Amino acid sequence: MKVINQVKLEMLNDSKNEAFARVVAASFAAQADVTLEEISDIKTAVSEAVTNAIVHGYSNSVGYVGLDCKLMDAENPLLPVRVLEIEIRDNGRGISDIARARQPLFTTQPELERSGMGFTVMETFMDEVIVDSSPGQGTKVILRKEIGAAGKLPKKSVKSGVDAGSEAGGIDD
Amino acid sequence: MLNLYRKGAMLVVRLEGELDHHSVADIRVEIDEALEENLPEILIFDLANVSFMDSSGIGMIIGRYRQMQEQGGRVGFVGINQKIDKLMQVSGLLKIIPIIEGSEADESNKPSQTGNA
């Protein structure tokens, strides 16, 4: 895929920057032919990833969250779509069990009223979510979304967390 | 950011703007103070003027729902708008908290409720 445009940004892990990060991502995405729904999806997914970096990656320590936005040409003559790729990076504590962290309703901090829905939201609102992390090595989340594919590709159905939870978690006997 | 008023046995929380991890910190404290003071039987979240919400907003609402349940109270929604509808569907929250319709919801959507607040 050919990179059309790119923005790289580093921000302090201040929770005020959650709003800043989503505005940056939405503004960057606006140069492509995005729908209002796609903008809303992108803002929500970025908000989840940046919040994870601040709440779980760094908890009480000070650090920086990286936000890289890339717009790429899929170079597919049959389907002229662009791909928005957003990378959210921290140098925090990392995740020991990524598969478990991605499960709906899983949270390490229920006392802080974390819903445990962050990754589920990212996966529902974006086309692809890649998580690269290990303990002590920080976390990198890559969010991808095809832009301009609306109406050309079959839409993903929206699955609720409660349903997804009982499928993945084996709550039923 | 938020507007609280009492109406009979109901406490209506009208939220405005963006509900994320940063903004729910203060909102949570304000709602909890009002819950303690008013001990309502029904807590209504009016989300008509919420322009953005992520899972931190969901977490805050679930937290208040649990509190109300412990006290034998109920929770309802009014004003689920298009901007937050997808998130509400994904979260499964609408399966445990009903959308209030009819006269009750109309009352809570009025722009200003002075007098018994």
Side-chain angles (χ1 to χ4, degrees):
Chain A
M1 279 192 283
K2 198 178 87 191
V3 175
I4 299 168
N5 194 8
Q6 186 167 11
V7 165
K8 294 189 173 201
L9 173 71
E10 295 276 325
M11 54 200 161
L12 204 59
N13 65 331
D14 186 313
S15 64
K16 285 199 265 314
N17 287 333
E18 292 155 9
F20 181 72
R22 12 176 228 274
V23 170
V24 168
S27 304
F28 182 84
Q31 67 191 288
D33 191 15
V34 276
T35 63
L36 278 178
E37 191 189 342
E38 285 169 336
I39 287 277
S40 174
D41 290 354
I42 292 159
K43 283 175 83 170
T44 312
V46 168
S47 195
E48 298 295 351
V50 172
T51 302
N52 274 355
I54 290 171
V55 174
H56 301 290
Y58 290 118
S59 39
N60 296 318
S61 57
V62 174
Y64 281 85
V65 179
L67 176 74
D68 293 0
C69 303
K70 231 189 270 183
L71 184 66
M72 297 179 290
D73 189 332
E75 295 181 292
N76 180 350
L78 299 174
L79 196 67
V81 293
R82 293 187 165 182
V83 176
L84 179 72
E85 183 179 291
I86 301 173
E87 182 180 305
I88 294 99
R89 222 175 27 250
D90 68 63
N91 298 310
R93 71 165 79 144
I95 302 168
S96 55
D97 188 341
I98 295 171
R100 192 156 172 248
R102 291 178 76 143
Q103 275 188 12
L105 310 178
F106 174 80
T107 179
T108 52
Q109 302 183 334
E111 72 283 1
L112 292 182
E113 295 185 352
R114 306 304 312 158
S115 68
M117 295 296 296
F119 276 118
T120 305
V121 170
M122 288 182 238
E123 284 165 2
T124 311
F125 285 44
M126 302 297 278
D127 293 322
E128 197 179 352
V129 178
I130 299 164
V131 185
D132 184 6
S133 182
S134 54
Q137 301 299 308
T139 299
K140 187 162 84 178
V141 173
I142 296 172
L143 307 169
R144 283 201 191 114
K145 194 172 188 68
E146 285 188 353
I147 304 292
K152 296 175 191 127
L153 290 175
K155 270 271 172 230
K156 280 195 294 188
S157 64
V158 174
K159 188 184 278 182
S160 91
V162 174
D163 292 342
S166 57
E167 272 168 31
I171 294 165
D172 306 323
D173 54 1
Chain B
M1 206 68 109
L2 89 161
N3 222 304
L4 291 155
Y5 64 89
R6 175 95 204 216
K7 190 175 182 303
M10 271 194 307
L11 180 72
V12 180
V13 178
R14 185 182 293 139
L15 294 160
E16 278 170 26
E18 305 199 315
L19 292 187
D20 64 3
H21 162 250
H22 178 74
S23 67
V24 299
D26 291 340
I27 289 170
R28 178 181 286 126
V29 172
E30 276 197 60
I31 297 176
D32 285 355
E33 281 173 7
L35 285 178
E36 207 173 308
E37 204 174 297
N38 289 280
L39 297 171
E41 284 168 35
I42 303 167
L43 174 65
I44 303 287
F45 285 102
D46 183 344
L47 306 176
N49 295 320
V50 173
S51 56
F52 173 85
M53 177 151 95
D54 66 15
S55 70
S56 298
I58 299 291
M60 184 275 288
I61 292 172
I62 291 176
R64 310 287 80 66
Y65 169 76
R66 290 202 178 120
Q67 278 189 37
M68 288 299 291
Q69 259 197 326
E70 279 170 23
Q71 299 162 13
R74 289 178 293 150
V75 181
F77 285 127
V78 296
I80 305 283
N81 68 59
Q82 208 199 331
K83 285 175 182 157
I84 60 169
D85 182 61
K86 190 168 173 183
L87 182 85
M88 297 300 273
Q89 301 291 343
V90 172
S91 72
L93 215 51
L94 296 175
K95 290 183 180 169
I96 56 170
I97 301 178
I99 295 171
I100 310 292
E101 285 164 6
S103 59
E104 278 189 340
D106 293 341
E107 285 297 320
S108 65
N109 269 324
K110 278 184 184 167
S112 65
Q113 289 279 332
T114 48
N116 59 353

